[in-house]
Amino acid sequence: QVQLVESGGGLVQAGGSLRLSCAASGLVFARYGMGWFRQAPGKEREFVAAISWSGGDTNYADSVKGRFTISRDNAKNTVFLQMNSLKPEDTAVYYCAAGYLGTISSRPNQYPYWGQGTQVTVSS
């Protein structure tokens, strides 16, 4: 069974950094595109970033471009999200997701597998 387990969330001051990790099991990790999404209270889940199966292609939401970096280590079945210059509006539960055919789509319905999420809180 597929499992995606996020870690690395926490409380940080505005301007600070966090690095999220997502460890995958139960799937051939290198065949899947991986994405990060987030959901703030009272808001819909939104796309943050995605990376292709090889890591050669990435996709970012405009709101995080230049501040967040997605990467992956296929040998360790892990995808990362380095978040710098964090803002209070980045506060949300962050989810990683695995998508078929190495997708880097921003659409949640392209990702059949999801983790449980990790909370990121940015204080002003």
Side-chain angles (χ1 to χ4, degrees):
Q1 116 202 26
V2 176
Q3 281 195 314
L4 302 176
V5 180
E6 302 96 336
S7 61
L11 174 63
V12 64
Q13 288 189 330
S17 298
L18 282 174
R19 189 191 195 206
L20 305 184
S21 299
C22 172
S25 61
L27 75 171
V28 181
F29 182 72
R31 292 181 182 174
Y32 286 81
M34 298 298 296
W36 285 97
F37 292 77
R38 66 188 181 186
Q39 188 166 18
K43 295 188 176 181
E44 292 187 355
R45 191 169 297 190
E46 67 172 355
F47 172 74
V48 176
I51 188 166
S52 63
W53 64 273
S54 68
D57 294 302
T58 56
N59 184 18
Y60 294 93
D62 287 343
S63 60
V64 307
K65 278 181 182 176
R67 300 188 299 123
F68 291 10
T69 302
I70 189 170
S71 61
R72 66 189 294 160
D73 184 341
N74 285 349
K76 297 182 177 179
N77 287 6
T78 303
V79 62
F80 305 97
L81 185 69
Q82 177 66 43
M83 305 186 295
N84 298 330
S85 302
L86 282 161
K87 304 175 181 180
E89 51 263 44
D90 294 317
T91 295
V93 176
Y94 282 70
Y95 300 89
C96 74
Y100 290 130
L101 301 178
T103 184
I104 57 170
S105 173
S106 61
R107 294 183 292 170
N109 64 8
Q110 297 299 302
Y111 297 82
Y113 303 114
W114 292 80
Q116 293 300 305
T118 185
Q119 176 70 47
V120 171
T121 304
V122 184
S123 63
S124 56

